[in-house]
Amino acid sequence: MTDNRFSEADRRAVYRAIHERRDMRHFSGGSIEPDILSQLLNAAHAAPSVGLMQPWRFIRITDRSLRDQLYQQVQTERRATAAALGERESEFMALKVEGILDCAELLVVTLKDEREQHIFGRRTMPHMDIASTACAIQNLWLAARAEGLGMGWVSLFEPAALSNLLQLPEGAAPLAILCLGPVTQFYERPMLEQEDWAQRAPLEQFVMENQWQKP
Amino acid sequence: MTDNRFSEADRRAVYRAIHERRDMRHFSGGSIEPDILSQLLNAAHAAPSVGLMQPWRFIRITDRSLRDQLYQQVQTERRATAAALGERESEFMALKVEGILDCAELLVVTLKDEREQHIFGRRTMPHMDIASTACAIQNLWLAARAEGLGMGWVSLFEPAALSNLLQLPEGAAPLAILCLGPVTQFYERPMLEQEDWAQRAPLEQFVMENQWQKP
């Protein structure tokens, strides 16, 4: 075990990335150097995947009018979500929930088509492709934090409309709109906590032993 | 941007955890110190979650007969998967697909019950709870790698049977059986690649611009 363990300084760096990563909605424009963007995507691509199926695809949005159309789709879903929230509608509408127009880079992450061919680890758990792709996104998120770049995962969209906009084939599906780029500063705590939308609960309430227990 | 960026040594540590993390199936027994296990779970709990819903729950399996029953459930699904694979059945059966009986710690990660209350980011994308929980598991995986501990994510189980065994309430669902603990060495490449089950493809085949493109 000792041989495989990172040095104390290196362990601290890994935990720092994990604990200082934030879901960012405030970006300061700018750009990302191509070799850094490439390292971030390589970090994502180093993720585990069920049966090594590598279900993730990354669509880099470089066309400005396409970015605007994507923004409009998110606004539409934002209003629909607000209405569905009922009594918390105005509270939700006061939150900044995306940074699509301000971020340096915009990526759409999708699940690939023809996933039904992959049975290993998915016969009873077909959604493992979603889990694998989320692991890739988390890798990207942590690498971005180490590079001093913010990232926000936006899921306020209608999958069919976004699939249509990006001409996804039958069987593929969008999982994330990722806003990525320089930020002035990282939130000290999760933004939804700072804004009193929700609070984090202590870890003890999430850990049980041998069977489900009420917290 | 420069202010937020980690030092070169710290960036290297983060990338090392990302690129040297492996989905482990070979464990060397032993145990995990309680404070390290706690740090790993805290790393998981530091993950992002849609609308800050924190959908993850961790069930630590400390009862040996329960571990054996869990192992039997995985064996049952392993045989069912092998049969479903058809011509690759014997190739699959030759693979080591779990380390349940050999790992120091066994954790089952589940999605919590009463998730339908959470609409933020999930009105059109209800599976975002799976994605958030996968991000938590990826955090745990990377932190474990930094600690020199291996982890394997097993999804070869029947969710209803596992839910029943662990007395999950209606609405909760298991997402992962995690084998965690000391290993003799980490695989140099993903085990399924070393065993010629599948090959990783180069990143270029996963990145597109502005719309879906055939690789």
Side-chain angles (χ1 to χ4, degrees):
Chain A
M1 172 175 163
T2 323
D3 290 339
N4 293 322
R5 199 178 189 198
F6 285 17
S7 70
E8 192 187 333
D10 284 357
R11 294 200 303 276
R12 204 182 304 124
V14 172
Y15 283 115
R16 183 184 165 202
I18 287 171
H19 289 288
E20 295 187 5
R21 181 213 50 78
R22 289 289 175 269
D23 197 347
M24 300 301 297
R25 275 77 175 89
H26 295 83
F27 294 87
S28 53
S31 61
I32 301 178
E33 288 172 37
D35 66 322
I36 291 184
L37 183 59
S38 172
Q39 284 189 63
L40 298 182
L41 291 169
N42 267 300
H45 192 43
S49 62
V50 62
L52 206 57
M53 74 178 282
Q54 307 163 88
W56 45 74
R57 296 293 183 273
F58 305 93
I59 306 180
R60 189 180 167 208
I61 308 297
T62 57
D63 181 276
R64 188 70 207 191
S65 76
L66 192 57
R67 189 191 281 233
D68 290 341
Q69 286 172 275
L70 217 140
Y71 174 77
Q72 289 308 329
Q73 289 201 357
V74 170
Q75 293 312 306
T76 300
E77 177 51 31
R78 178 172 165 249
R79 286 187 293 268
T81 294
L85 282 166
E87 59 180 21
R88 296 195 80 180
E89 176 173 0
S90 60
E91 192 187 347
F92 173 79
M93 285 300 286
L95 295 171
K96 182 158 171 56
V97 291
E98 49 73 30
I100 293 175
L101 299 181
D102 309 315
C103 61
E105 288 282 344
L106 193 63
L107 300 170
V108 175
V109 185
T110 81
L111 300 169
K112 79 184 191 92
D113 54 345
E114 301 179 339
R115 283 169 285 146
E116 66 286 353
Q117 298 172 1
H118 299 268
I119 296 165
F120 190 154
R122 293 183 68 235
R123 199 189 73 91
T124 58
M125 299 280 286
H127 47 289
M128 279 298 295
D129 49 8
I130 295 169
S132 299
T133 304
C135 288
I137 292 173
Q138 183 67 0
N139 269 4
L140 204 165
W141 223 330
L142 295 168
R145 180 61 193 88
E147 297 288 357
L149 299 169
M151 200 181 96
W153 180 336
V154 179
S155 61
L156 291 161
F157 57 82
E158 168 53 61
L162 186 53
S163 296
N164 191 49
L165 184 64
L166 302 180
Q167 302 180 43
L168 265 53
E170 183 79 24
L175 184 63
I177 296 174
L178 300 182
C179 301
L180 185 65
V183 298
T184 305
Q185 58 179 27
F186 286 85
Y187 312 130
E188 202 164 304
R189 294 178 295 135
M191 197 203 67
L192 292 181
E193 186 174 64
Q194 292 184 173
E195 301 290 331
D196 278 331
W197 177 265
Q199 298 302 316
R200 282 178 296 178
L203 176 62
E204 305 82 76
Q205 295 180 17
F206 296 75
V207 182
M208 315 169 199
E209 193 169 339
N210 291 322
Q211 64 174 56
W212 186 276
Q213 285 131 7
K214 278 274 173 203
Chain B
M1 171 176 165
T2 324
D3 289 339
N4 292 322
R5 199 179 189 198
F6 284 18
S7 70
E8 193 187 333
D10 285 357
R11 293 199 303 276
R12 203 181 307 124
V14 173
Y15 282 116
R16 183 184 165 199
I18 287 171
H19 289 288
E20 295 186 6
R21 181 213 51 77
R22 290 289 175 270
D23 197 347
M24 299 301 298
R25 276 78 175 88
H26 295 83
F27 295 87
S28 53
S31 61
I32 302 178
E33 289 172 35
D35 65 324
I36 290 184
L37 183 59
S38 172
Q39 283 189 63
L40 298 183
L41 291 169
N42 268 301
H45 192 44
S49 63
V50 63
L52 207 57
M53 73 179 284
Q54 307 162 90
W56 46 74
R57 296 293 184 273
F58 304 93
I59 307 180
R60 189 179 167 209
I61 308 298
T62 57
D63 182 275
R64 188 71 207 192
S65 76
L66 192 57
R67 188 191 282 233
D68 291 340
Q69 288 172 272
L70 218 139
Y71 173 77
Q72 289 306 330
Q73 289 201 357
V74 170
Q75 294 312 308
T76 301
E77 176 52 30
R78 179 171 164 251
R79 286 187 292 269
T81 293
L85 282 166
E87 61 180 21
R88 298 195 78 181
E89 176 172 359
S90 60
E91 193 187 349
F92 174 80
M93 284 302 285
L95 294 171
K96 182 156 170 59
V97 291
E98 49 73 32
I100 293 175
L101 299 181
D102 310 314
C103 61
E105 287 282 345
L106 193 63
L107 300 170
V108 174
V109 185
T110 82
L111 300 168
K112 78 183 191 93
D113 54 345
E114 301 179 340
R115 282 170 285 147
E116 64 288 351
Q117 297 172 3
H118 299 267
I119 298 166
F120 190 152
R122 293 183 68 236
R123 199 189 73 91
T124 57
M125 299 278 287
H127 47 289
M128 280 299 295
D129 48 10
I130 296 168
S132 299
T133 304
C135 288
I137 293 171
Q138 182 68 2
N139 270 4
L140 204 166
W141 223 330
L142 295 168
R145 180 62 193 87
E147 297 289 355
L149 299 169
M151 198 179 98
W153 180 334
V154 178
S155 60
L156 290 163
F157 56 82
E158 169 53 60
L162 186 53
S163 296
N164 190 49
L165 184 65
L166 302 179
Q167 302 180 42
L168 264 52
E170 182 80 23
L175 184 62
I177 297 174
L178 300 182
C179 301
L180 184 65
V183 297
T184 306
Q185 56 179 28
F186 287 85
Y187 312 129
E188 203 165 303
R189 295 178 295 135
M191 196 204 67
L192 292 181
E193 188 175 62
Q194 292 183 175
E195 300 291 330
D196 278 332
W197 176 265
Q199 298 303 315
R200 283 178 295 178
L203 175 62
E204 305 82 75
Q205 295 179 19
F206 295 76
V207 183
M208 315 167 199
E209 194 169 338
N210 292 321
Q211 64 175 55
W212 185 275
Q213 286 130 8
K214 278 274 171 203

